[in-house]
Amino acid sequence: MGLSIAIVGSGPSGFYTAEAVLEKWSDCTVDIVEKLPTPYGLIRYGVAPDHAKTKTVAKSYEKLALDPRVRFFGNVEAGKDVSVAELRERYDAVVLATGCSTDKKLGIRGDDKKGVLGCAAFVNWYNGLPAARDLAPPLDTESVVVVGVGNVAIDVARVLVKTPEEMAATDLMEHAARAIHASPIKQVYMAGRRGPLHAQFTNVELREMGHLKDAAAIVDPAQLPETIPDEAKAEFSDRQLRLIQRNIDTLRDFAKAAPGARKKRVHFVFFANPVEILGGERVTGVRFEKTKMEKGRATGTGEFFEIPCGLVIPAIGYYSLPVPGVPWEGGKAINKDGRIEPGLYCVGWIKRGPSGVIGTNKPDGDEAADQIAADTGGAGKGKPGRAGLEALLAARKVRVVSFADWKRIEAAEVARATPPAPRRKFATVAEMLAALDASGSAAAPARAAAQAD
Ligand SMILES: Cc1cc2nc3c(=O)[nH]c(=O)nc-3n(C[C@H](O)[C@H](O)[C@H](O)COP(=O)(O)OP(=O)(O)OC[C@H]3O[C@@H](n4cnc5c(N)ncnc54)[C@H](O)[C@@H]3O)c2cc1C
């Protein structure tokens, strides 16, 4: 008898797991349980709206979702609509792929002031995650500090300074475009505790900052090393050293380039450890301690400086919230090589924490498939699987959004976009469901059991 497998979460790690198990067992069934009516996790709500090419990876996930052995249960939240224990009763294997959705806090004095917004919240807001719709970030400021020198920090800085024309062919949310483009923001400071050798940007993302229409990238050449020091050569692999060299070269180009007529600035500030958020109720600036690198660590020098700003966006990492009924520690599910316990597995960011690119999640899917193979021998135990979940959700009157339903939502988003924008995303779940109803779907409460698509 074929295995019945439930995957909770439809981001990259969920789909890579689906791919791995479908390849391993031709007779398995795979049900993907997703709390939103929309699939793809951070591909839709994290990846920057102006990076359409990155999002095309979703096409390969769509192929998997359309495999006859796979069923998408959108708008179903594990821990709310169905518990993990209930899934485990019904499936031979349950794989958690729920990602990391919450911001790490700066943990310094003043970080609870109005005007300090985590990057997860901010990115979700401009990308249209329904829960972030009403964030209303205070953009009524000329100056923003983004804490962090990685790709997410760069995404945030770029979206803040790109012109409406540069964003026209993107799926930036309308409410975000209106607010950002009406804001007086002129200066964005990206500040990192460590130096340029330890910055986490990929070179393509960094170089992009040199090609913005109305914003110049500003770098202090004194913060760039002449050559990579021997100490760093011991710390990094050859591949990392090549990337570091490319980044240093790019930063040097920025340092040399004249801003010209561009009115906005993105400043790269290294060796700057934020120690206090300044202001009264609302942020007025950030106080930093200058650092120096010692044995790969940033240590304080006792010298301080301040950057005035009205908005601070820490982009220092994400962590995941516990899924009820799952052992949790340090923002991750407690697991050994992806196995939480026999029958329950985890992949992607809830397994490893928030690191790596989309493709980094792929080996997790392979590993989960191997663990399932080791625990089950590849044979199902005759659990009810899909029929059991459908019956439970129908009894609870959960409105399940199938993959075909999602395609109707997507078609409506594409249809209402103003070219050259590829789509105009719905901002709330209610809008998505209304679009579905308007599209003539047979969707109705308690129709989960009747889903044939
Ligand atoms: C701002 C940002 C930009 C990024 N840009 C890039 C990029 O340009 N290129 C790149 O390669 N990588 C990028 N990444 C990294 C990439 O997005 C991640 O590696 C990847 O999305 C992690 O996959 P995941 O499946 O673990 O989590 P996610 O993508 O977060 O997917 C988790 C899914 O689980 C669902 N879920 C959560 N809880 C439940 C529940 N209880 N029940 C049911 N479903 C649930 C969520 O709704 C979501 O759909 C970016 C990350 C961020 C944060």
Side-chain angles (χ1 to χ4, degrees):
M1 176 168 299
L3 287 169
S4 58
I5 298 166
I7 297 171
V8 182
S10 68
S13 67
F15 274 104
Y16 289 130
T17 303
E19 184 175 34
V21 296
L22 290 168
E23 261 175 29
K24 215 175 189 66
W25 298 290
S26 60
D27 59 349
C28 69
T29 56
V30 176
D31 292 341
I32 301 178
V33 175
E34 166 59 55
K35 72 175 174 184
L36 292 165
T38 54
Y40 312 139
L42 285 170
I43 304 298
R44 180 175 164 102
Y45 294 117
V47 171
D50 55 340
H51 282 180
K53 212 168 142 208
T54 307
K55 295 171 192 251
T56 56
V57 67
K59 279 279 153 214
S60 62
Y61 304 157
E62 179 172 317
K63 264 197 203 138
L64 292 164
L66 293 172
D67 186 294
R69 295 168 289 172
V70 176
R71 183 75 59 85
F72 178 71
F73 287 80
N75 204 31
V76 178
E77 182 170 346
K80 182 172 152 240
D81 298 312
V82 55
S83 70
V84 171
E86 287 165 338
L87 288 172
R88 294 187 68 184
E89 280 159 26
R90 285 161 181 77
Y91 289 87
D92 295 310
V94 175
V95 184
L96 302 176
T98 50
C100 295
S101 55
T102 309
D103 280 296
K104 265 194 193 138
K105 284 198 89 170
L106 274 175
I108 60 174
R109 194 137 63 109
D111 70 357
D112 53 352
K113 289 187 194 302
K114 180 168 183 243
V116 182
L117 277 185
C119 70
F122 188 66
V123 167
N124 286 164
W125 171 75
Y126 68 58
N127 273 328
L129 183 80
R133 169 68 183 88
D134 298 322
L135 186 71
L139 299 171
D140 53 339
T141 175
E142 290 205 354
S143 169
V144 179
V145 169
V146 180
V147 181
V149 281
N151 281 343
V152 175
I154 280 211
D155 282 350
V156 167
R158 196 179 64 249
V159 168
L160 282 173
V161 298
K162 268 193 165 180
T163 63
E165 296 71 39
E166 285 174 301
M167 294 306 282
T170 76
D171 59 3
L172 176 66
M173 290 303 286
E174 244 183 345
H175 57 251
R178 261 198 313 274
I180 292 171
H181 297 142
S183 84
I185 293 169
K186 295 228 164 31
Q187 313 287 337
V188 177
Y189 296 85
M190 290 177 50
R193 266 184 319 126
R194 301 194 286 175
L197 299 180
H198 292 85
Q200 302 278 316
F201 334 107
T202 47
N203 192 249
V204 179
E205 303 247 351
L206 182 60
R207 270 187 286 135
E208 212 180 332
M209 299 307 277
H211 300 287
L212 303 180
K213 249 192 190 145
D214 199 27
I218 307 293
V219 176
D220 175 359
Q223 293 201 321
L224 303 178
E226 285 302 323
T227 54
I228 296 182
D230 287 344
E231 187 185 298
K233 284 185 184 152
E235 187 183 340
F236 298 106
S237 68
D238 286 350
R239 202 184 70 82
Q240 287 170 320
L241 285 169
R242 281 195 296 276
L243 169 64
I244 289 168
Q245 188 60 59
R246 278 204 296 277
N247 282 350
I248 304 278
D249 293 344
T250 305
L251 290 165
R252 207 179 300 289
D253 290 343
F254 292 168
K256 281 192 217 138
R262 287 172 289 182
K263 291 191 284 300
K264 299 180 187 179
R265 304 278 181 272
V266 177
H267 306 260
F268 290 80
V269 184
F270 297 105
F271 305 109
N273 184 30
V275 290
E276 186 181 352
I277 306 293
L278 306 170
E281 199 180 311
R282 167 88 188 258
V283 172
T284 56
V286 183
R287 184 170 158 80
F288 292 93
E289 181 174 15
K290 286 188 183 172
T291 64
K292 59 176 191 243
M293 294 304 292
E294 280 176 347
K295 296 190 179 132
R297 294 177 65 89
T299 55
T301 60
E303 257 187 274
F304 295 86
F305 68 102
E306 291 174 8
I307 299 180
C309 66
L311 177 61
V312 180
I313 304 179
I316 53 169
Y318 284 53
Y319 73 90
S320 58
L321 293 172
V323 175
V326 176
W328 220 260
E329 195 172 52
K332 285 185 276 186
I334 299 174
N335 73 93
K336 173 99 178 58
D337 302 329
R339 182 193 283 114
I340 298 170
E341 48 193 71
L344 185 62
Y345 312 87
C346 60
V347 289
W349 278 18
I350 76 146
K351 177 201 160 205
R352 305 187 323 271
S355 64
V357 291
I358 294 164
T360 316
N361 299 292
K362 192 167 162 39
D364 288 356
D366 299 331
E367 188 180 53
D370 289 343
Q371 301 282 25
I372 295 170
D375 291 343
T376 63
K381 288 208 166 64
K383 291 193 175 187
R386 182 171 300 164
L389 179 61
E390 285 174 338
L392 182 78
L393 295 174
R396 288 184 182 160
K397 301 196 183 334
V398 176
R399 179 170 179 169
V400 179
V401 171
S402 68
F403 201 76
D405 288 341
W406 148 247
K407 291 301 290 175
R408 287 187 203 105
I409 294 171
E410 187 185 36
E413 290 188 337
V414 171
R416 71 194 204 120
T418 308
R423 70 187 68 79
R424 200 171 129 221
K425 291 179 190 171
F426 293 112
T428 64
V429 170
E431 283 177 36
M432 293 174 197
L433 298 181
L436 198 47
D437 292 341
S439 75
S441 154
R447 67 161 181 53
Q451 279 195 337
D453 36 35

